[in-house]
Structure formats: C-alpha cells, structure tokens
Amino acid sequence: MSRTDLLKTIDDIRARIAAGDSLEGNFRYLLADLDAEHPFNVDAMYRVGNRAGQGGAILIGYDGDDR
C-alpha cells in the first residue's frame, strides 16, 4: 500500500470511530521497502455501517490463510 493510501485508510477508520459507525477492528502496518511502489504491508479489518443496523466489515490484506 502506498503512504497516501495508508493515510486515507487511517483517516477512514478514525472518522468512522468518531461517528460511532465502527465498534471494533484491528489494524497493523509494516514497512516492507521504501523503494517499492507499495512500501507498506497493511492488514486490517474494521466494522462499518453499524449506525444503519448490523453493518459489515472492510478487510485489507487478507490472503485467505486462517492460521
């Protein structure tokens, strides 16, 4: 993920928490290579849409491995 996309994701999570629209989640970012096109490795899951009912979730970086 690029630095710009990382900051947009952080801003989105923060705004949803502030609005009471995200009640749980997790977020992790790791620096892979500053010279790479997408230098940040991001794994995140946060709930959204809770103000409208059951809501859903946004997953980032999920590779299907349920270790």
Side-chain angles (χ1 to χ4, degrees):
M1 178 178 283
S2 70
R3 180 185 318 270
T4 299
D5 287 339
L6 174 60
L7 292 170
K8 285 179 184 178
T9 301
I10 292 169
D11 289 345
D12 184 49
I13 293 170
R14 188 212 171 282
R16 290 178 186 274
I17 292 169
D21 193 47
S22 184
L23 305 175
E24 64 183 327
N26 60 67
F27 183 83
R28 179 179 70 146
Y29 68 99
L30 302 168
L31 182 60
D33 180 359
L34 284 175
D35 296 325
E37 182 179 353
H38 305 289
F40 293 93
N41 290 325
V42 177
D43 293 310
M45 184 288 298
Y46 57 105
R47 295 205 37 217
V48 298
N50 293 291
R51 293 178 59 127
Q54 184 174 348
I58 293 178
L59 297 172
I60 299 171
Y62 179 71
D63 67 1
D65 186 1
D66 289 332
R67 287 180 242 174

